[in-house]
Amino acid sequence: MRLAGIEKMFLLGRDYSMEHGYPLVSNDDIKKLVDMKPNRFIGFASVDPYVENSAEKLKFAFETLGLSGLALYPSRQHFYPGDKKMDILYDVCEMNNRPIIFHSGLSWEPNTLSKFGHPLEFEELANKRPNLRICLTQFGWPWLRETAMILVKHRNVFTSMGSLYFDNAKEFFSQCFTKEIPVTWIDRSLRHQVMFGSGNPRFEQIRMAEALNSLGFRESTLELIKWRNAENFLNGLEEESLRGEHFVY
């Protein structure tokens, strides 16, 4: 984090209880990590939507553990974002003013189906719940244009640039954000909805940060991507302590 110039990091829980019988990274685990470095880490809960008491677990994570949002993995948890069974979790998020980070696009974890994470699957949710802030990770790769379309239409939707890359972060970022979509789409139209991300520990934060800086964005756009948009995504949670910090999830 220090070498990449990152002061704050989102830590995301992983609850695949229906598959494993227990969360891989529980909300209690996230809380313990946040408490070790509360000035560095921001914790996001996770629940398995197929577990009967998922809403109660989420309420506890927000109201007792004090976690700052919800992390969900449609491709791994095998649900479409528009499924009615998800409404109870979305209600809890809205009532507690907490955002949701959805893993979108490709996932290379075992037992994943990318169809659940296609960016178009999130449009109905964004339209029905304009006050619910959601983030689509990885810019929905490989569906970058579809993600851009969702962002243009729905201001409550954010995305992160923590995209999967093959062997070189700069080359991949250049391919994604200057060729597959023009760099001006972000620098002019989407600059308030894009956040930095690395997918760490799978990808090295330092190379991802260098790749972001190499794209030719205006300094004001880089400032938005590195921290201001994260403030807006969190909607003022711990706003004073977040001011001026750089984020990664």
Side-chain angles (χ1 to χ4, degrees):
M1 291 174 66
R2 179 178 59 83
L3 292 174
I6 295 166
E7 286 87 22
K8 297 275 187 179
M9 180 181 288
F10 291 175
L11 301 181
L12 312 183
R14 288 184 179 271
D15 190 342
Y16 308 145
S17 292
M18 292 301 290
E19 180 179 353
H20 293 279
Y22 56 88
L24 294 184
V25 182
S26 73
N27 298 333
D28 287 332
D29 293 334
I30 294 294
K31 171 64 172 172
K32 289 176 184 176
L33 290 168
V34 170
D35 286 346
M36 289 178 185
K37 289 286 183 181
N39 63 325
R40 304 298 298 273
F41 298 145
I42 298 168
F44 276 66
S46 183
V47 296
D48 191 317
Y50 288 99
V51 174
E52 281 190 11
N53 65 339
S54 59
E56 287 71 26
K57 288 178 64 176
L58 186 57
K59 288 178 184 178
F60 182 83
F62 290 160
E63 298 171 8
T64 302
L65 300 181
L67 299 184
S68 299
L70 172 62
L72 292 171
Y73 306 88
S75 296
R76 181 67 180 267
Q77 295 171 319
H78 293 187
F79 71 88
Y80 287 107
D83 284 355
K84 289 192 176 297
K85 68 172 176 287
M86 301 302 298
D87 283 343
I88 189 170
L89 297 180
Y90 300 153
D91 289 342
V92 172
C93 288
E94 287 199 277
M95 286 188 293
N96 288 272
N97 190 30
R98 298 293 202 272
I100 304 175
I101 292 177
F102 286 100
H103 192 286
S104 70
L106 170 71
S107 173
W108 65 357
E109 290 190 25
N111 195 30
T112 58
L113 296 174
S114 296
K115 66 177 184 178
F116 293 111
H118 194 292
L120 293 182
E121 294 295 339
F122 297 90
E123 183 173 22
E124 185 175 6
L125 171 61
N127 185 62
K128 288 174 62 176
R129 294 179 181 260
N131 295 318
L132 179 65
R133 299 178 308 286
I134 66 176
C135 172
L136 309 184
T137 66
Q138 304 186 136
F139 221 102
W141 191 88
W143 299 291
L144 275 73
R145 287 176 176 262
E146 288 85 344
T147 301
M149 181 272 288
I150 299 295
L151 296 175
V152 165
K153 291 183 64 177
H154 303 283
R155 291 300 178 183
N156 58 322
V157 180
F158 294 72
T159 192
S160 74
M161 301 177 73
S163 303
L164 168 70
Y165 66 85
F166 291 87
D167 61 355
N168 184 294
K170 287 185 179 180
E171 289 178 4
F172 189 69
F173 267 33
S174 176
Q175 175 66 30
C176 287
F177 304 119
T178 69
K179 298 174 184 176
E180 294 188 32
I181 63 172
V183 68
T184 52
W185 285 16
I186 296 177
D187 208 18
R188 296 174 186 170
S189 300
L190 306 178
R191 62 201 302 260
H192 292 280
Q193 294 163 272
V194 178
M195 299 185 288
F196 176 69
S198 75
N200 176 271
R202 184 161 289 157
F203 305 119
E204 187 178 296
Q205 303 161 14
I206 300 169
R207 290 193 176 100
M208 302 295 271
E210 291 174 349
L212 170 63
N213 291 330
S214 73
L215 291 174
F217 291 130
R218 290 174 287 168
E219 283 300 319
S220 58
T221 299
L222 285 173
E223 184 177 273
L224 289 166
I225 292 172
K226 288 180 177 179
W227 64 273
R228 285 192 181 275
N229 292 340
E231 277 191 344
N232 293 334
F233 180 63
L234 292 169
N235 197 30
L237 294 175
E238 305 179 75
E239 183 173 356
E240 291 304 316
S241 66
L242 299 178
R243 191 167 302 282
E245 308 288 2
H246 294 178
F247 293 80
V248 67
Y249 75 89

